[in-house]
Amino acid sequence: MTTPQQPRWGPWRRPSDTPREKPRKWIWISALAIVALVLGIALGSLGGDDDGTPPPGPVPPPVSEPGTPSPREPATTAPQPPAPETPRPTDNERTREQRDLIDFKLDDRSASGFKNIWVTWTITNHSSEKSDYTWDWEAVAPNGVRVADSTEHEFNVQPGQTVKGDFFTTLDTTDVKLNITSFDRTASP
């Protein structure tokens, strides 16, 4: 009498129980390449102005002259009285400064069903000194609801120079009213 033979894999393990194959390396490499491509496109659209100047970065700490304490060292002299406050520009001066903002509008660059709306501006420095500009704006829908707001900057605009700039928005329509809520021009360092 012959005994039935046991299968080679044993009664506790069947061919369907074998571990799955590990995903192939090329699947992971292509997935990483797609992620890198998407990040590159996203970060590329966040770049600085098209005029070749890098976006503003952190302000470096002031350099102290020899013999004066550095900003991190405590001063050994008596405390200085507070500096007098700089006078705020009058409404007439604000209006004159804001006239440097020649154009500020929305630009619809949407294509293939993807919304792509930017704010664009043109600034001409009418002052006699190199200037920095900062302004806050809001977009208000026809029903009176504010749908977006942001702050824009232009730095180191030379006297008489005209600068164009743009920045992307999260708006999905151009059927809004743009309001400038504050505007400031200061002399560049």
Side-chain angles (χ1 to χ4, degrees), residues 86 88-89 97 100 125 127 129-135 153-158 183-189:
T86 57
R88 300 289 298 165
E97 288 178 350
D100 286 357
N125 185 353
S127 73
E129 56 192 1
K130 184 169 64 168
S131 300
D132 295 337
Y133 295 89
T134 302
W135 67 98
H153 308 279
E154 277 296 338
F155 296 99
N156 301 320
V157 182
Q158 299 293 332
F183 189 88
D184 187 36
R185 182 192 67 82
T186 56
S188 296

Side-chain angles (χ1 to χ4, degrees), residues 4 22 38 49 53-54 62 71 74 78 105 108 122 126 139 158 163:
K22 292 183 180 175
V38 169
D49 294 339
T53 60
K105 63 184 178 182
D108 190 353
T122 304
H126 292 104
Q158 299 293 332
V163 177

Side-chain angles (χ1 to χ4, degrees), residues 9-10 12-21:
W9 53 82
W12 60 89
R13 190 169 188 191
R14 295 189 180 113
S16 62
D17 293 338
T18 59
R20 290 185 165 180
E21 271 187 39

Side-chain angles (χ1 to χ4, degrees), residues 58-184:
V59 177
V63 178
S64 60
E65 295 180 17
T68 60
S70 71
R72 293 187 180 129
E73 297 175 8
T76 56
T77 60
Q80 298 290 331
E85 289 189 28
T86 57
R88 300 289 298 165
T90 63
D91 288 337
N92 188 25
E93 289 172 334
R94 281 191 193 125
T95 305
R96 188 179 72 233
E97 288 178 350
Q98 192 166 336
R99 278 188 278 185
D100 286 357
L101 185 61
I102 304 296
D103 187 33
F104 187 66
K105 63 184 178 182
L106 293 174
D107 183 18
D108 190 353
R109 301 175 184 174
S110 301
S112 302
F114 293 101
K115 292 296 181 182
N116 189 13
I117 298 175
W118 292 61
V119 290
T120 62
W121 60 85
T122 304
I123 288 183
T124 299
N125 185 353
H126 292 104
S127 73
S128 61
E129 56 192 1
K130 184 169 64 168
S131 300
D132 295 337
Y133 295 89
T134 302
W135 67 98
D136 297 322
W137 62 272
E138 66 180 2
V140 179
N143 63 0
V145 175
R146 181 172 68 184
V147 293
D149 64 332
S150 187
T151 301
E152 305 303 334
H153 308 279
E154 277 296 338
F155 296 99
N156 301 320
V157 182
Q158 299 293 332
Q161 184 180 31
T162 298
V163 177
K164 294 181 180 248
D166 59 2
F167 198 75
F168 69 93
T169 70
T170 57
L171 293 171
D172 58 358
T173 182
T174 56
D175 186 25
V176 294
K177 180 181 178 191
L178 287 180
N179 297 322
I180 297 175
T181 55
S182 72
F183 189 88
D184 187 36

Side-chain angles (χ1 to χ4, degrees), residues 22-32:
K22 292 183 180 175
R24 298 205 173 153
K25 186 187 282 187
W26 64 269
I27 293 174
W28 290 106
I29 291 172
S30 62
L32 287 174

